[in-house]
Amino acid sequence: MPAAPAAAQSAPSGAAPTIVLVHGAFADGSSWNGVIERLERRGYTVMAPANPLRGLQSDAAYISSVLKSIKGPVLLVGHSYGGAVISSAAAGNAQVKSLVYINALMPDVGESGMSLSARFPSALATATESVRYRTGVTSGTDLYLKRNKVHPVFAACLPAAQANLLGVTQRPVATAAFSEKAKVAAWKDIPSWALVGRQDMTITPQQERFEAKRAHSHTVEIDSCHVSLIARPDAVADLILKAAGAAGSTPQPGTSGSNGRIK
C-alpha cells in the first residue's frame, strides 16, 4: 500500500517548537546524535531525555513531567518503543503541537507492544533474551537483544562493527514496557507524521504502515532498517522539520533557540 505524502501545513505565527526526541528500547539518547546535529543547525532547541524503559505507564509519566518543564510549544518525536511512550505522554498536553513517529509503535487504547507484535510478527520475537533483575524493593524481567541478533535484526543497515557497539552498550527494557496496555492514544487528537523503514526487521513495515494509516499520519517510506535515526539521520531530520513547520514558526539558521543558545 503506498504511503500518504508527507505534506506540511503553512507554519503559523508564534514561537518555534522545542523538539523533544524520545529513544526506544535497547538504546539511549545518543542514538539521536545525527538528527540533533541537523535540527540544531536549523536553529531549533532540542532535548533528548533518557527514557527509563521500565514500563509504559511509568515511562510516559516521566516524559510527561519533562514536557511540563518546557515553556512554549513542543514537537514530540518517538523512535520504536518511544512511539508508544509519546502517545501516552502527550495526552492532554496542549503544548504538544505535533507527534512524529520513527519506525515506531503507535498503540491504540487497550493495545500493547505485545498485542501489536502478535498481529504483525517480526524477527524481534527470537532476537531477545530474558534476564531477571532485582532492586531494593522490586523485581522483574529485563529483555536484552542477543548479541548475534543485533546486526541482522536491529541494525542491518549499519556496518557490523557499529552494530556490535550498539549491542555492547544497549540498555535493557523491562517486559512491562511491552506488556502494559495503552490507556490513551494522543495521535487521535494531535497531528502526526510517520516514517516507515522498508527493511525494518524489528517492527515490520506492514505494522508501521497500518499504524500510520490508522492515525491519518503524514507518512514517508525510506530504504532503512530499524535504526533509521542512526543510518539515515538526514531523512529523519527532514520529516521532523516538516512537522516543525506545521507546529510553529521556523527559526533561521544561526539564530538562538528558545533557550537562548546560539546555533
Side-chain angles (χ1 to χ4, degrees):
M1 182 178 299
Q9 306 166 17
S10 298
S13 60
T18 296
I19 300 175
V20 179
L21 308 171
V22 179
H23 66 82
F26 316 114
D28 60 30
S30 68
S31 57
W32 292 106
N33 284 354
V35 176
I36 293 169
E37 177 185 3
R38 287 161 174 79
L39 297 177
E40 290 194 331
R41 192 183 301 150
R42 294 291 294 269
Y44 283 95
T45 297
V46 185
M47 296 177 62
N51 184 354
L53 306 181
R54 297 295 85 196
L56 178 58
Q57 304 308 324
S58 61
D59 293 345
Y62 176 77
I63 295 300
S64 179
S65 70
V66 172
L67 299 179
K68 291 176 182 177
S69 71
I70 301 171
K71 294 181 180 179
V74 172
L75 189 157
L76 191 53
V77 186
H79 172 250
S80 191
Y81 163 68
V85 173
I86 69 170
S87 293
S88 292
N93 187 335
Q95 286 179 263
V96 181
K97 305 302 181 183
S98 300
L99 300 169
V100 182
Y101 295 93
I102 308 298
N103 302 81
L105 292 177
M106 300 172 63
D108 199 350
V109 176
E111 291 179 342
S112 66
M114 289 178 61
S115 68
L116 281 168
S117 65
R119 186 172 180 180
F120 299 95
S122 77
L124 183 64
T126 58
T128 62
E129 56 187 351
S130 301
V131 177
R132 293 287 296 174
Y133 72 85
R134 179 178 295 278
T135 67
V137 294
T138 62
S139 62
T141 302
D142 272 338
L143 294 176
Y144 287 83
L145 289 170
K146 297 176 182 177
R147 292 286 293 279
N148 66 343
K149 296 291 187 178
V150 175
H151 191 223
V153 173
F154 192 68
C157 51
L158 299 180
Q162 187 176 6
N164 179 64
L165 287 176
L166 295 181
V168 172
T169 61
Q170 66 177 292
R171 291 180 57 216
V173 58
T175 54
F178 296 128
S179 63
E180 289 181 1
K181 296 179 180 179
K183 297 179 179 179
V184 291
W187 47 259
K188 292 185 175 183
D189 302 306
I190 301 173
S192 62
W193 280 253
L195 182 142
V196 174
R198 296 191 186 101
Q199 289 80 42
D200 198 332
M201 300 285 287
T202 300
I203 301 176
T204 67
Q206 292 78 11
Q207 178 178 330
E208 293 169 9
R209 293 181 187 121
F210 165 78
E211 295 170 332
K213 181 178 180 180
R214 178 173 65 176
H216 304 290
S217 303
H218 304 291
T219 307
V220 297
E221 294 196 3
I222 65 171
D223 290 325
S224 180
C225 64
H226 189 62
V227 291
S228 60
L229 70 174
I230 300 174
R232 294 289 306 278
D234 51 345
V236 172
D238 284 348
L239 184 62
I240 294 170
L241 289 168
K242 286 184 172 68
S249 64
T250 304
Q252 296 300 314
T255 63
S256 62
S258 60
N259 66 355
R261 291 181 296 175
I262 302 297
K263 300 300 176 190

